[in-house]
Amino acid sequence: MTGTMSATILILNGPNLNLLGSREPDVYGSETLAEIEASCRDHAKGLGLEIDFCQSNDEGEMVNIIQEAQTGCAGLIINAGAFTHTSVAILDALLALEQPVVEVHLSNLFQRESFRHHSFVSQAARGMICGFRGQGYVLALDALARILKDKNEA
Ligand code: DQA
């Protein structure tokens, strides 16, 4: 990283996360995705990072977005929603990506149904943050900021 240009972190959200706020608030919290985006923007500013925040209900579109992240972003935060537990295509796209990946889930997957205990995404992620609802995204930004700082100092 040089001079005044700040690194961009892509934050990618999968299916049904557009419904946050009204979707099972006892499980996912009452914050909307727009509110989570606003806290991420605010927090990223303090870390000297830019964010690109997006959501898709479509697996193929998510694969395209991950492929495009190869250029122009320094790291990826992903909540792949239900595709976490099903998508080898998203795993393969993440494995092809050179930038560091941090996995986020609002709910604590390990307190839920056993089909949510396995994540394909985890195989390509530096780590996973789950159970802290919307705050998980902000924690993931801190984790990525540290990873990028260590990389730049190496
Ligand atoms: C989720 C957990 C997934 O199991 C679920 O399908 C989601 C949301 C979470 O953020 O807790 O859609 O990724």
Side-chain angles (χ1 to χ4, degrees):
M1 276 296 308
T2 50
T4 53
M5 255 182 49
S6 58
T8 300
I9 304 301
L10 176 63
I11 304 179
L12 175 58
N13 292 283
N16 299 307
L17 293 168
N18 54 315
L19 302 179
L20 287 182
S22 57
R23 175 193 183 198
E24 299 182 86
D26 47 320
V27 177
Y28 298 115
S30 53
E31 250 184 314
T32 63
L33 196 60
E35 286 164 346
I36 291 173
E37 175 175 358
S39 346
C40 286
R41 265 184 210 291
D42 194 46
H43 194 72
K45 214 176 284 171
L47 296 168
L49 297 169
E50 301 279 335
I51 63 162
D52 189 353
F53 196 95
C54 56
Q55 189 272 332
S56 173
N57 289 327
D58 187 283
E59 185 177 11
E61 192 183 353
M62 289 181 70
V63 168
N64 288 335
I65 291 169
I66 295 164
Q67 288 184 5
E68 284 156 18
Q70 186 65 46
T71 52
C73 92
L76 173 70
I77 294 171
I78 181 167
N79 181 352
F83 293 143
T84 303
H85 319 297
T86 62
S87 181
V88 176
I90 288 176
L91 167 61
D92 284 347
L94 293 171
L95 289 172
L97 186 71
E98 284 166 40
Q99 290 89 335
V101 175
V102 177
E103 177 178 7
V104 169
H105 299 282
L106 298 132
S107 62
N108 183 338
L109 300 181
F110 305 100
Q111 290 176 347
R112 303 185 65 196
E113 304 96 318
S114 59
F115 65 82
R116 296 185 205 273
H117 296 181
H118 176 263
S119 162
F120 283 103
V121 170
S122 290
Q123 206 171 319
R126 293 291 186 97
M128 180 213 273
I129 294 164
C130 79
F132 296 98
R133 299 198 169 169
Q135 193 202 352
Y137 290 81
V138 162
L139 298 172
L141 276 169
D142 282 339
L144 261 185
R146 174 60 73 93
I147 290 166
L148 297 177
K149 184 168 175 279
D150 290 348
K151 199 159 95 180
N152 287 339
E153 285 169 1

